[in-house]
Amino acid sequence: MNFKVIKSSIVFEGKVFSVRVDDIKYNGTGNLATRQIAIHPGGAVVIPLLSNGKIIFVKQYRYPHNEILIELPAGKLDKDESPLNCAIRELKEETGYSSNNIIKLGKIYTTPGFCNEVLHIFLAKDLKEGYHQREEGEEEMEILELSLDEAEEKIKNGEIVDAKTISGLMMLKLIK
């Protein structure tokens, strides 16, 4: 690193993320700069793969874009929760399915220019059907089953635009 942090402070604490402002000084020039970072606890994304090869997606309303999006099930890590436990919880909450065969495929940095969020991508196989346990605001969530080819077509035509979903599907494709 070619800088040092002079001052760091949390200027906003929210339910989903906080904002930290760092004042830095570059080593070579001595120039000062300010960096604003969205502090996020991270989350888990699940690729629920059915025995017939189809993938379970959720359709849910996303407030910031005022749209219903097609996404892989995912959610924010609770305090001190492991990414695997988050994946297990979100799979059950959003789809009703559970699995004892969940493997981590990798991780992504969602917006590394200003946010420290890390999403852990998991593949869930040998799914067992059950009942969902959706949170407030997720009541109207719908389930959608698509093959990988159908999902790729929806990416091509702009029906799937969610970055974590596109990244997760790429990770799945790379292991097939």
Side-chain angles (χ1 to χ4, degrees):
M1 293 189 303
N2 67 340
F3 64 89
K4 71 177 186 172
V5 178
I6 308 284
K7 179 183 171 194
S8 184
S9 58
I10 301 293
V11 297
F12 169 79
E13 287 193 55
K15 182 178 176 184
V16 177
F17 67 92
S18 298
V19 177
R20 186 180 79 215
V21 176
D22 292 346
D23 293 328
I24 65 171
K25 182 177 183 179
Y26 286 100
N27 297 333
T29 63
N31 289 336
L32 301 174
T34 300
R35 298 288 181 259
Q36 299 169 345
I37 302 113
I39 305 296
H40 189 282
V45 181
V46 186
I47 305 165
L49 187 62
L50 294 166
S51 59
N52 66 5
K54 294 215 173 188
I55 301 161
I56 299 171
F57 294 85
V58 294
K59 290 175 76 173
Q60 66 175 322
Y61 175 77
R62 289 300 193 174
Y63 187 85
H65 295 283
N66 194 29
E67 288 181 46
I68 295 174
L69 300 182
I70 298 171
E71 305 177 24
L72 290 169
K76 182 173 67 70
L77 290 169
D78 287 338
K79 185 171 175 42
D80 299 322
E81 182 180 36
S82 74
L84 176 60
N85 285 341
C86 180
I88 291 166
R89 176 177 52 79
E90 289 296 332
L91 177 64
K92 179 73 173 166
E93 278 181 13
E94 293 187 2
T95 71
Y97 284 88
S98 60
S99 171
N100 290 322
N101 186 2
I102 299 180
I103 59 167
K104 187 171 179 178
L105 299 183
K107 67 181 181 181
I108 60 170
Y109 299 150
T110 59
T111 47
F114 68 89
C115 183
N116 73 345
E117 180 182 32
V118 178
L119 293 181
H120 303 270
I121 313 282
F122 292 88
L123 173 62
K125 297 160 114 179
D126 305 325
L127 300 175
K128 295 169 196 69
E129 200 167 354
Y131 298 99
H132 61 76
Q133 300 167 347
R134 295 187 180 139
E135 297 175 323
E136 186 176 22
E138 295 179 337
E139 302 89 1
E140 294 181 16
M141 187 179 279
E142 295 177 41
I143 299 293
L144 181 65
E145 296 178 12
L146 300 170
S147 69
L148 184 55
D149 287 342
E150 291 169 325
E152 287 178 339
E153 189 58 36
K154 289 190 178 301
I155 293 168
K156 283 182 205 172
N157 69 26
E159 289 181 75
I160 294 179
V161 294
D162 175 60
K164 71 183 175 299
T165 298
I166 295 169
S167 296
L169 293 175
M170 178 57 122
M171 288 181 179
L172 175 63
K173 191 170 181 172
L174 290 173
I175 65 163
K176 284 196 162 238

mmCIF file with all atom_site columns, all heavy atoms in Angstrom, residues 47-57 123-125 127 145-151 169 172 176:
data_model
loop_
_atom_site.group_PDB
_atom_site.id
_atom_site.type_symbol
_atom_site.label_atom_id
_atom_site.label_alt_id
_atom_site.label_comp_id
_atom_site.label_asym_id
_atom_site.label_entity_id
_atom_site.label_seq_id
_atom_site.pdbx_PDB_ins_code
_atom_site.Cartn_x
_atom_site.Cartn_y
_atom_site.Cartn_z
_atom_site.occupancy
_atom_site.B_iso_or_equiv
_atom_site.pdbx_formal_charge
_atom_site.auth_seq_id
_atom_site.auth_comp_id
_atom_site.auth_asym_id
_atom_site.auth_atom_id
_atom_site.pdbx_PDB_model_num
ATOM 1   N N   . ILE A 1 47  ? -27.085 -21.780 -5.191  1.00 0.00 ? 47  ILE A N   1
ATOM 2   C CA  . ILE A 1 47  ? -27.553 -22.312 -6.470  1.00 0.00 ? 47  ILE A CA  1
ATOM 3   C C   . ILE A 1 47  ? -28.241 -23.642 -6.162  1.00 0.00 ? 47  ILE A C   1
ATOM 4   O O   . ILE A 1 47  ? -27.579 -24.665 -6.012  1.00 0.00 ? 47  ILE A O   1
ATOM 5   C CB  . ILE A 1 47  ? -26.392 -22.528 -7.455  1.00 0.00 ? 47  ILE A CB  1
ATOM 6   C CG1 . ILE A 1 47  ? -25.590 -21.245 -7.637  1.00 0.00 ? 47  ILE A CG1 1
ATOM 7   C CG2 . ILE A 1 47  ? -26.917 -23.047 -8.793  1.00 0.00 ? 47  ILE A CG2 1
ATOM 8   C CD1 . ILE A 1 47  ? -24.236 -21.447 -8.296  1.00 0.00 ? 47  ILE A CD1 1
ATOM 9   N N   . PRO A 1 48  ? -29.571 -23.638 -6.010  1.00 0.00 ? 48  PRO A N   1
ATOM 10  C CA  . PRO A 1 48  ? -30.284 -24.878 -5.700  1.00 0.00 ? 48  PRO A CA  1
ATOM 11  C C   . PRO A 1 48  ? -30.491 -25.679 -6.988  1.00 0.00 ? 48  PRO A C   1
ATOM 12  O O   . PRO A 1 48  ? -31.257 -25.275 -7.864  1.00 0.00 ? 48  PRO A O   1
ATOM 13  C CB  . PRO A 1 48  ? -31.616 -24.408 -5.131  1.00 0.00 ? 48  PRO A CB  1
ATOM 14  C CG  . PRO A 1 48  ? -31.520 -22.917 -5.005  1.00 0.00 ? 48  PRO A CG  1
ATOM 15  C CD  . PRO A 1 48  ? -30.460 -22.487 -5.957  1.00 0.00 ? 48  PRO A CD  1
ATOM 16  N N   . LEU A 1 49  ? -29.806 -26.803 -7.099  1.00 0.00 ? 49  LEU A N   1
ATOM 17  C CA  . LEU A 1 49  ? -29.836 -27.625 -8.312  1.00 0.00 ? 49  LEU A CA  1
ATOM 18  C C   . LEU A 1 49  ? -30.711 -28.850 -8.084  1.00 0.00 ? 49  LEU A C   1
ATOM 19  O O   . LEU A 1 49  ? -30.390 -29.702 -7.246  1.00 0.00 ? 49  LEU A O   1
ATOM 20  C CB  . LEU A 1 49  ? -28.412 -28.029 -8.689  1.00 0.00 ? 49  LEU A CB  1
ATOM 21  C CG  . LEU A 1 49  ? -28.224 -28.754 -10.010 1.00 0.00 ? 49  LEU A CG  1
ATOM 22  C CD1 . LEU A 1 49  ? -28.668 -27.871 -11.190 1.00 0.00 ? 49  LEU A CD1 1
ATOM 23  C CD2 . LEU A 1 49  ? -26.765 -29.171 -10.179 1.00 0.00 ? 49  LEU A CD2 1
ATOM 24  N N   . LEU A 1 50  ? -31.804 -28.924 -8.816  1.00 0.00 ? 50  LEU A N   1
ATOM 25  C CA  . LEU A 1 50  ? -32.724 -30.055 -8.715  1.00 0.00 ? 50  LEU A CA  1
ATOM 26  C C   . LEU A 1 50  ? -32.147 -31.280 -9.430  1.00 0.00 ? 50  LEU A C   1
ATOM 27  O O   . LEU A 1 50  ? -31.282 -31.148 -10.303 1.00 0.00 ? 50  LEU A O   1
ATOM 28  C CB  . LEU A 1 50  ? -34.085 -29.683 -9.321  1.00 0.00 ? 50  LEU A CB  1
ATOM 29  C CG  . LEU A 1 50  ? -34.859 -28.593 -8.579  1.00 0.00 ? 50  LEU A CG  1
ATOM 30  C CD1 . LEU A 1 50  ? -35.999 -28.060 -9.445  1.00 0.00 ? 50  LEU A CD1 1
ATOM 31  C CD2 . LEU A 1 50  ? -35.383 -29.132 -7.257  1.00 0.00 ? 50  LEU A CD2 1
ATOM 32  N N   . SER A 1 51  ? -32.656 -32.448 -9.105  1.00 0.00 ? 51  SER A N   1
ATOM 33  C CA  . SER A 1 51  ? -32.155 -33.684 -9.712  1.00 0.00 ? 51  SER A CA  1
ATOM 34  C C   . SER A 1 51  ? -32.405 -33.734 -11.221 1.00 0.00 ? 51  SER A C   1
ATOM 35  O O   . SER A 1 51  ? -31.691 -34.418 -11.952 1.00 0.00 ? 51  SER A O   1
ATOM 36  C CB  . SER A 1 51  ? -32.782 -34.911 -9.032  1.00 0.00 ? 51  SER A CB  1
ATOM 37  O OG  . SER A 1 51  ? -34.185 -34.862 -9.144  1.00 0.00 ? 51  SER A OG  1
ATOM 38  N N   . ASN A 1 52  ? -33.383 -32.970 -11.721 1.00 0.00 ? 52  ASN A N   1
ATOM 39  C CA  . ASN A 1 52  ? -33.658 -32.919 -13.163 1.00 0.00 ? 52  ASN A CA  1
ATOM 40  C C   . ASN A 1 52  ? -32.763 -31.909 -13.883 1.00 0.00 ? 52  ASN A C   1
ATOM 41  O O   . ASN A 1 52  ? -32.931 -31.668 -15.086 1.00 0.00 ? 52  ASN A O   1
ATOM 42  C CB  . ASN A 1 52  ? -35.134 -32.615 -13.419 1.00 0.00 ? 52  ASN A CB  1
ATOM 43  C CG  . ASN A 1 52  ? -35.560 -31.226 -12.972 1.00 0.00 ? 52  ASN A CG  1
ATOM 44  O OD1 . ASN A 1 52  ? -34.744 -30.409 -12.530 1.00 0.00 ? 52  ASN A OD1 1
ATOM 45  N ND2 . ASN A 1 52  ? -36.858 -30.947 -13.065 1.00 0.00 ? 52  ASN A ND2 1
ATOM 46  N N   . GLY A 1 53  ? -31.820 -31.297 -13.147 1.00 0.00 ? 53  GLY A N   1
ATOM 47  C CA  . GLY A 1 53  ? -30.893 -30.346 -13.757 1.00 0.00 ? 53  GLY A CA  1
ATOM 48  C C   . GLY A 1 53  ? -31.362 -28.905 -13.737 1.00 0.00 ? 53  GLY A C   1
ATOM 49  O O   . GLY A 1 53  ? -30.611 -27.999 -14.103 1.00 0.00 ? 53  GLY A O   1
ATOM 50  N N   . LYS A 1 54  ? -32.596 -28.684 -13.328 1.00 0.00 ? 54  LYS A N   1
ATOM 51  C CA  . LYS A 1 54  ? -33.091 -27.304 -13.272 1.00 0.00 ? 54  LYS A CA  1
ATOM 52  C C   . LYS A 1 54  ? -32.602 -26.620 -12.000 1.00 0.00 ? 54  LYS A C   1
ATOM 53  O O   . LYS A 1 54  ? -32.302 -27.262 -10.994 1.00 0.00 ? 54  LYS A O   1
ATOM 54  C CB  . LYS A 1 54  ? -34.612 -27.276 -13.343 1.00 0.00 ? 54  LYS A CB  1
ATOM 55  C CG  . LYS A 1 54  ? -35.115 -27.758 -14.695 1.00 0.00 ? 54  LYS A CG  1
ATOM 56  C CD  . LYS A 1 54  ? -36.335 -27.019 -15.117 1.00 0.00 ? 54  LYS A CD  1
ATOM 57  C CE  . LYS A 1 54  ? -36.671 -27.433 -16.551 1.00 0.00 ? 54  LYS A CE  1
ATOM 58  N NZ  . LYS A 1 54  ? -37.730 -26.618 -17.073 1.00 0.00 ? 54  LYS A NZ  1
ATOM 59  N N   . ILE A 1 55  ? -32.527 -25.306 -12.070 1.00 0.00 ? 55  ILE A N   1
ATOM 60  C CA  . ILE A 1 55  ? -32.061 -24.463 -10.966 1.00 0.00 ? 55  ILE A CA  1
ATOM 61  C C   . ILE A 1 55  ? -33.259 -23.689 -10.434 1.00 0.00 ? 55  ILE A C   1
ATOM 62  O O   . ILE A 1 55  ? -34.087 -23.191 -11.208 1.00 0.00 ? 55  ILE A O   1
ATOM 63  C CB  . ILE A 1 55  ? -30.971 -23.490 -11.461 1.00 0.00 ? 55  ILE A CB  1
ATOM 64  C CG1 . ILE A 1 55  ? -29.800 -24.265 -12.050 1.00 0.00 ? 55  ILE A CG1 1
ATOM 65  C CG2 . ILE A 1 55  ? -30.518 -22.559 -10.337 1.00 0.00 ? 55  ILE A CG2 1
ATOM 66  C CD1 . ILE A 1 55  ? -28.907 -23.436 -12.956 1.00 0.00 ? 55  ILE A CD1 1
ATOM 67  N N   . ILE A 1 56  ? -33.334 -23.585 -9.118  1.00 0.00 ? 56  ILE A N   1
ATOM 68  C CA  . ILE A 1 56  ? -34.419 -22.826 -8.495  1.00 0.00 ? 56  ILE A CA  1
ATOM 69  C C   . ILE A 1 56  ? -33.991 -21.367 -8.341  1.00 0.00 ? 56  ILE A C   1
ATOM 70  O O   . ILE A 1 56  ? -32.950 -21.070 -7.750  1.00 0.00 ? 56  ILE A O   1
ATOM 71  C CB  . ILE A 1 56  ? -34.789 -23.412 -7.123  1.00 0.00 ? 56  ILE A CB  1
ATOM 72  C CG1 . ILE A 1 56  ? -35.268 -24.854 -7.286  1.00 0.00 ? 56  ILE A CG1 1
ATOM 73  C CG2 . ILE A 1 56  ? -35.851 -22.553 -6.440  1.00 0.00 ? 56  ILE A CG2 1
ATOM 74  C CD1 . ILE A 1 56  ? -35.445 -25.579 -5.978  1.00 0.00 ? 56  ILE A CD1 1
ATOM 75  N N   . PHE A 1 57  ? -34.806 -20.484 -8.863  1.00 0.00 ? 57  PHE A N   1
ATOM 76  C CA  . PHE A 1 57  ? -34.618 -19.039 -8.742  1.00 0.00 ? 57  PHE A CA  1
ATOM 77  C C   . PHE A 1 57  ? -35.787 -18.465 -7.960  1.00 0.00 ? 57  PHE A C   1
ATOM 78  O O   . PHE A 1 57  ? -36.833 -19.090 -7.839  1.00 0.00 ? 57  PHE A O   1
ATOM 79  C CB  . PHE A 1 57  ? -34.587 -18.381 -10.129 1.00 0.00 ? 57  PHE A CB  1
ATOM 80  C CG  . PHE A 1 57  ? -33.417 -18.778 -10.972 1.00 0.00 ? 57  PHE A CG  1
ATOM 81  C CD1 . PHE A 1 57  ? -33.458 -19.937 -11.739 1.00 0.00 ? 57  PHE A CD1 1
ATOM 82  C CD2 . PHE A 1 57  ? -32.266 -18.002 -11.012 1.00 0.00 ? 57  PHE A CD2 1
ATOM 83  C CE1 . PHE A 1 57  ? -32.388 -20.312 -12.514 1.00 0.00 ? 57  PHE A CE1 1
ATOM 84  C CE2 . PHE A 1 57  ? -31.195 -18.367 -11.784 1.00 0.00 ? 57  PHE A CE2 1
ATOM 85  C CZ  . PHE A 1 57  ? -31.249 -19.527 -12.544 1.00 0.00 ? 57  PHE A CZ  1
ATOM 86  N N   . LEU A 1 123 ? -23.281 -24.199 -4.003  1.00 0.00 ? 123 LEU A N   1
ATOM 87  C CA  . LEU A 1 123 ? -24.103 -25.096 -4.799  1.00 0.00 ? 123 LEU A CA  1
ATOM 88  C C   . LEU A 1 123 ? -24.790 -26.060 -3.847  1.00 0.00 ? 123 LEU A C   1
ATOM 89  O O   . LEU A 1 123 ? -24.118 -26.695 -3.023  1.00 0.00 ? 123 LEU A O   1
ATOM 90  C CB  . LEU A 1 123 ? -23.236 -25.864 -5.801  1.00 0.00 ? 123 LEU A CB  1
ATOM 91  C CG  . LEU A 1 123 ? -23.935 -26.965 -6.602  1.00 0.00 ? 123 LEU A CG  1
ATOM 92  C CD1 . LEU A 1 123 ? -25.042 -26.391 -7.475  1.00 0.00 ? 123 LEU A CD1 1
ATOM 93  C CD2 . LEU A 1 123 ? -22.904 -27.714 -7.452  1.00 0.00 ? 123 LEU A CD2 1
ATOM 94  N N   . ALA A 1 124 ? -26.113 -26.168 -3.947  1.00 0.00 ? 124 ALA A N   1
ATOM 95  C CA  . ALA A 1 124 ? -26.890 -27.093 -3.111  1.00 0.00 ? 124 ALA A CA  1
ATOM 96  C C   . ALA A 1 124 ? -27.496 -28.168 -4.003  1.00 0.00 ? 124 ALA A C   1
ATOM 97  O O   . ALA A 1 124 ? -28.218 -27.863 -4.958  1.00 0.00 ? 124 ALA A O   1
ATOM 98  C CB  . ALA A 1 124 ? -27.980 -26.336 -2.355  1.00 0.00 ? 124 ALA A CB  1
ATOM 99  N N   . LYS A 1 125 ? -27.163 -29.428 -3.695  1.00 0.00 ? 125 LYS A N   1
ATOM 100 C CA  . LYS A 1 125 ? -27.706 -30.568 -4.442  1.00 0.00 ? 125 LYS A CA  1
ATOM 101 C C   . LYS A 1 125 ? -28.488 -31.458 -3.484  1.00 0.00 ? 125 LYS A C   1
ATOM 102 O O   . LYS A 1 125 ? -28.496 -31.226 -2.285  1.00 0.00 ? 125 LYS A O   1
ATOM 103 C CB  . LYS A 1 125 ? -26.555 -31.360 -5.068  1.00 0.00 ? 125 LYS A CB  1
ATOM 104 C CG  . LYS A 1 125 ? -25.741 -30.572 -6.089  1.00 0.00 ? 125 LYS A CG  1
ATOM 105 C CD  . LYS A 1 125 ? -24.397 -31.219 -6.286  1.00 0.00 ? 125 LYS A CD  1
ATOM 106 C CE  . LYS A 1 125 ? -24.167 -31.791 -7.639  1.00 0.00 ? 125 LYS A CE  1
ATOM 107 N NZ  . LYS A 1 125 ? -22.842 -32.390 -7.795  1.00 0.00 ? 125 LYS A NZ  1
ATOM 108 N N   . LEU A 1 127 ? -31.667 -31.881 -3.055  1.00 0.00 ? 127 LEU A N   1
ATOM 109 C CA  . LEU A 1 127 ? -32.631 -31.016 -2.366  1.00 0.00 ? 127 LEU A CA  1
ATOM 110 C C   . LEU A 1 127 ? -33.823 -31.795 -1.826  1.00 0.00 ? 127 LEU A C   1
ATOM 111 O O   . LEU A 1 127 ? -34.304 -32.735 -2.459  1.00 0.00 ? 127 LEU A O   1
ATOM 112 C CB  . LEU A 1 127 ? -33.120 -29.927 -3.324  1.00 0.00 ? 127 LEU A CB  1
ATOM 113 C CG  . LEU A 1 127 ? -32.052 -28.999 -3.882  1.00 0.00 ? 127 LEU A CG  1
ATOM 114 C CD1 . LEU A 1 127 ? -32.663 -28.048 -4.902  1.00 0.00 ? 127 LEU A CD1 1
ATOM 115 C CD2 . LEU A 1 127 ? -31.359 -28.228 -2.782  1.00 0.00 ? 127 LEU A CD2 1
ATOM 116 N N   . GLU A 1 145 ? -38.222 -22.282 -11.824 1.00 0.00 ? 145 GLU A N   1
ATOM 117 C CA  . GLU A 1 145 ? -37.247 -23.326 -12.141 1.00 0.00 ? 145 GLU A CA  1
ATOM 118 C C   . GLU A 1 145 ? -36.820 -23.177 -13.592 1.00 0.00 ? 145 GLU A C   1
ATOM 119 O O   . GLU A 1 145 ? -37.658 -23.152 -14.495 1.00 0.00 ? 145 GLU A O   1
ATOM 120 C CB  . GLU A 1 145 ? -37.854 -24.720 -11.928 1.00 0.00 ? 145 GLU A CB  1
ATOM 121 C CG  . GLU A 1 145 ? -38.216 -25.012 -10.492 1.00 0.00 ? 145 GLU A CG  1
ATOM 122 C CD  . GLU A 1 145 ? -38.867 -26.371 -10.315 1.00 0.00 ? 145 GLU A CD  1
ATOM 123 O OE1 . GLU A 1 145 ? -38.842 -27.205 -11.252 1.00 0.00 ? 145 GLU A OE1 1
ATOM 124 O OE2 . GLU A 1 145 ? -39.417 -26.615 -9.218  1.00 0.00 ? 145 GLU A OE2 1
ATOM 125 N N   . LEU A 1 146 ? -35.509 -23.058 -13.793 1.00 0.00 ? 146 LEU A N   1
ATOM 126 C CA  . LEU A 1 146 ? -34.955 -22.880 -15.141 1.00 0.00 ? 146 LEU A CA  1
ATOM 127 C C   . LEU A 1 146 ? -33.748 -23.784 -15.325 1.00 0.00 ? 146 LEU A C   1
ATOM 128 O O   . LEU A 1 146 ? -32.985 -24.003 -14.380 1.00 0.00 ? 146 LEU A O   1
ATOM 129 C CB  . LEU A 1 146 ? -34.495 -21.433 -15.349 1.00 0.00 ? 146 LEU A CB  1
ATOM 130 C CG  . LEU A 1 146 ? -35.509 -20.303 -15.223 1.00 0.00 ? 146 LEU A CG  1
ATOM 131 C CD1 . LEU A 1 146 ? -34.798 -18.958 -15.226 1.00 0.00 ? 146 LEU A CD1 1
ATOM 132 C CD2 . LEU A 1 146 ? -36.518 -20.382 -16.365 1.00 0.00 ? 146 LEU A CD2 1
ATOM 133 N N   . SER A 1 147 ? -33.557 -24.245 -16.540 1.00 0.00 ? 147 SER A N   1
ATOM 134 C CA  . SER A 1 147 ? -32.313 -24.934 -16.872 1.00 0.00 ? 147 SER A CA  1
ATOM 135 C C   . SER A 1 147 ? -31.218 -23.874 -16.995 1.00 0.00 ? 147 SER A C   1
ATOM 136 O O   . SER A 1 147 ? -31.505 -22.674 -17.115 1.00 0.00 ? 147 SER A O   1
ATOM 137 C CB  . SER A 1 147 ? -32.455 -25.694 -18.193 1.00 0.00 ? 147 SER A CB  1
ATOM 138 O OG  . SER A 1 147 ? -32.570 -24.772 -19.270 1.00 0.00 ? 147 SER A OG  1
ATOM 139 N N   . LEU A 1 148 ? -29.977 -24.314 -16.994 1.00 0.00 ? 148 LEU A N   1
ATOM 140 C CA  . LEU A 1 148 ? -28.876 -23.371 -17.168 1.00 0.00 ? 148 LEU A CA  1
ATOM 141 C C   . LEU A 1 148 ? -28.984 -22.665 -18.519 1.00 0.00 ? 148 LEU A C   1
ATOM 142 O O   . LEU A 1 148 ? -28.767 -21.454 -18.619 1.00 0.00 ? 148 LEU A O   1
ATOM 143 C CB  . LEU A 1 148 ? -27.522 -24.089 -17.024 1.00 0.00 ? 148 LEU A CB  1
ATOM 144 C CG  . LEU A 1 148 ? -26.275 -23.219 -17.076 1.00 0.00 ? 148 LEU A CG  1
ATOM 145 C CD1 . LEU A 1 148 ? -26.314 -22.100 -16.045 1.00 0.00 ? 148 LEU A CD1 1
ATOM 146 C CD2 . LEU A 1 148 ? -25.024 -24.074 -16.889 1.00 0.00 ? 148 LEU A CD2 1
ATOM 147 N N   . ASP A 1 149 ? -29.353 -23.401 -19.560 1.00 0.00 ? 149 ASP A N   1
ATOM 148 C CA  . ASP A 1 149 ? -29.534 -22.788 -20.888 1.00 0.00 ? 149 ASP A CA  1
ATOM 149 C C   . ASP A 1 149 ? -30.633 -21.730 -20.871 1.00 0.00 ? 149 ASP A C   1
ATOM 150 O O   . ASP A 1 149 ? -30.472 -20.650 -21.451 1.00 0.00 ? 149 ASP A O   1
ATOM 151 C CB  . ASP A 1 149 ? -29.861 -23.855 -21.939 1.00 0.00 ? 149 ASP A CB  1
ATOM 152 C CG  . ASP A 1 149 ? -28.663 -24.724 -22.302 1.00 0.00 ? 149 ASP A CG  1
ATOM 153 O OD1 . ASP A 1 149 ? -27.514 -24.319 -22.013 1.00 0.00 ? 149 ASP A OD1 1
ATOM 154 O OD2 . ASP A 1 149 ? -28.889 -25.809 -22.874 1.00 0.00 ? 149 ASP A OD2 1
ATOM 155 N N   . GLU A 1 150 ? -31.750 -22.026 -20.202 1.00 0.00 ? 150 GLU A N   1
ATOM 156 C CA  . GLU A 1 150 ? -32.841 -21.050 -20.115 1.00 0.00 ? 150 GLU A CA  1
ATOM 157 C C   . GLU A 1 150 ? -32.396 -19.810 -19.334 1.00 0.00 ? 150 GLU A C   1
ATOM 158 O O   . GLU A 1 150 ? -32.728 -18.680 -19.709 1.00 0.00 ? 150 GLU A O   1
ATOM 159 C CB  . GLU A 1 150 ? -34.057 -21.675 -19.431 1.00 0.00 ? 150 GLU A CB  1
ATOM 160 C CG  . GLU A 1 150 ? -34.742 -22.736 -20.265 1.00 0.00 ? 150 GLU A CG  1
ATOM 161 C CD  . GLU A 1 150 ? -35.781 -23.530 -19.495 1.00 0.00 ? 150 GLU A CD  1
ATOM 162 O OE1 . GLU A 1 150 ? -35.583 -23.785 -18.273 1.00 0.00 ? 150 GLU A OE1 1
ATOM 163 O OE2 . GLU A 1 150 ? -36.795 -23.926 -20.107 1.00 0.00 ? 150 GLU A OE2 1
ATOM 164 N N   . ALA A 1 151 ? -31.630 -20.018 -18.270 1.00 0.00 ? 151 ALA A N   1
ATOM 165 C CA  . ALA A 1 151 ? -31.132 -18.883 -17.486 1.00 0.00 ? 151 ALA A CA  1
ATOM 166 C C   . ALA A 1 151 ? -30.177 -18.036 -18.314 1.00 0.00 ? 151 ALA A C   1
ATOM 167 O O   . ALA A 1 151 ? -30.241 -16.800 -18.279 1.00 0.00 ? 151 ALA A O   1
ATOM 168 C CB  . ALA A 1 151 ? -30.450 -19.381 -16.215 1.00 0.00 ? 151 ALA A CB  1
ATOM 169 N N   . LEU A 1 169 ? -24.077 -18.352 -11.649 1.00 0.00 ? 169 LEU A N   1
ATOM 170 C CA  . LEU A 1 169 ? -24.299 -19.236 -12.788 1.00 0.00 ? 169 LEU A CA  1
ATOM 171 C C   . LEU A 1 169 ? -23.006 -19.492 -13.555 1.00 0.00 ? 169 LEU A C   1
ATOM 172 O O   . LEU A 1 169 ? -22.771 -20.606 -14.037 1.00 0.00 ? 169 LEU A O   1
ATOM 173 C CB  . LEU A 1 169 ? -25.364 -18.655 -13.710 1.00 0.00 ? 169 LEU A CB  1
ATOM 174 C CG  . LEU A 1 169 ? -26.777 -18.594 -13.110 1.00 0.00 ? 169 LEU A CG  1
ATOM 175 C CD1 . LEU A 1 169 ? -27.733 -17.892 -14.051 1.00 0.00 ? 169 LEU A CD1 1
ATOM 176 C CD2 . LEU A 1 169 ? -27.285 -19.983 -12.727 1.00 0.00 ? 169 LEU A CD2 1
ATOM 177 N N   . LEU A 1 172 ? -21.129 -22.071 -11.617 1.00 0.00 ? 172 LEU A N   1
ATOM 178 C CA  . LEU A 1 172 ? -21.719 -23.384 -11.849 1.00 0.00 ? 172 LEU A CA  1
ATOM 179 C C   . LEU A 1 172 ? -21.275 -23.927 -13.203 1.00 0.00 ? 172 LEU A C   1
ATOM 180 O O   . LEU A 1 172 ? -20.893 -25.093 -13.315 1.00 0.00 ? 172 LEU A O   1
ATOM 181 C CB  . LEU A 1 172 ? -23.247 -23.285 -11.795 1.00 0.00 ? 172 LEU A CB  1
ATOM 182 C CG  . LEU A 1 172 ? -24.014 -24.567 -12.129 1.00 0.00 ? 172 LEU A CG  1
ATOM 183 C CD1 . LEU A 1 172 ? -23.715 -25.659 -11.112 1.00 0.00 ? 172 LEU A CD1 1
ATOM 184 C CD2 . LEU A 1 172 ? -25.507 -24.281 -12.206 1.00 0.00 ? 172 LEU A CD2 1
ATOM 185 N N   . LYS A 1 176 ? -19.098 -27.646 -14.396 1.00 0.00 ? 176 LYS A N   1
ATOM 186 C CA  . LYS A 1 176 ? -19.826 -28.702 -15.123 1.00 0.00 ? 176 LYS A CA  1
ATOM 187 C C   . LYS A 1 176 ? -18.953 -29.338 -16.166 1.00 0.00 ? 176 LYS A C   1
ATOM 188 O O   . LYS A 1 176 ? -18.080 -28.815 -16.718 1.00 0.00 ? 176 LYS A O   1
ATOM 189 C CB  . LYS A 1 176 ? -21.093 -28.123 -15.745 1.00 0.00 ? 176 LYS A CB  1
ATOM 190 C CG  . LYS A 1 176 ? -22.155 -27.918 -14.692 1.00 0.00 ? 176 LYS A CG  1
ATOM 191 C CD  . LYS A 1 176 ? -23.496 -27.721 -15.355 1.00 0.00 ? 176 LYS A CD  1
ATOM 192 C CE  . LYS A 1 176 ? -24.560 -27.963 -14.343 1.00 0.00 ? 176 LYS A CE  1
ATOM 193 N NZ  . LYS A 1 176 ? -25.485 -28.979 -14.661 1.00 0.00 ? 176 LYS A NZ  1
#
